Amino acid sequence: MKIGNNSDIGNAIAQVAAKQQQAKAPAPSAEAATKGASSAAAAGVPVTFSNAARGVDAAARGPAEFDAGKVKAVKAAIENGTFKVDADAVADKLLSNAEETFSRSRSRN
């Protein structure tokens, strides 16, 4: 049994947590950003981004895609004590993630 990427509750939770951390972090001042840019220009190091990197940046800035109705339903089920965890789905996802992590670490060595 596999968990589909579009219905992962974990993604929604991670996105909410990331937004909360961003809200807590102080935003850099415009003056600090300008100083950083001018020091990089003074160093003479050109920086370019690949199309793939630009695509990742654009995707990260896009609206978060999650089913608010499903999140609300899960939250209500947890509060009511009726939420059931599908142990097979959790185990499959853990194994899949572990396999992916190990394959990445092996390919780097």
Side-chain angles (χ1 to χ4, degrees):
M1 174 182 227
K2 295 292 179 188
I3 300 173
N5 288 339
N6 291 338
S7 63
D8 282 345
I9 296 171
N11 287 341
I13 293 170
Q15 290 174 353
V16 170
K19 286 183 181 181
Q20 287 175 345
Q21 284 182 335
Q22 287 176 350
K24 289 180 183 177
S29 68
E31 182 179 67
T34 303
K35 285 182 183 177
S38 64
S39 66
V45 180
V47 176
T48 59
F49 294 97
S50 68
N51 289 336
R54 288 186 197 116
V56 169
D57 184 46
R61 292 180 187 205
E65 293 184 27
F66 69 95
D67 186 352
K70 186 171 184 175
V71 172
K72 193 179 225 181
V74 170
K75 182 177 178 181
I78 291 170
E79 289 173 352
N80 295 333
T82 59
F83 181 75
K84 302 290 182 199
V85 176
D86 185 350
D88 289 336
V90 172
D92 284 346
K93 191 65 172 182
L94 281 170
L95 290 173
S96 173
N97 288 345
E99 182 181 15
E100 182 180 344
T101 301
F102 289 139
S103 67
R104 285 183 184 173
S105 67
R106 286 183 188 143
S107 67
R108 290 181 187 164
N109 292 333

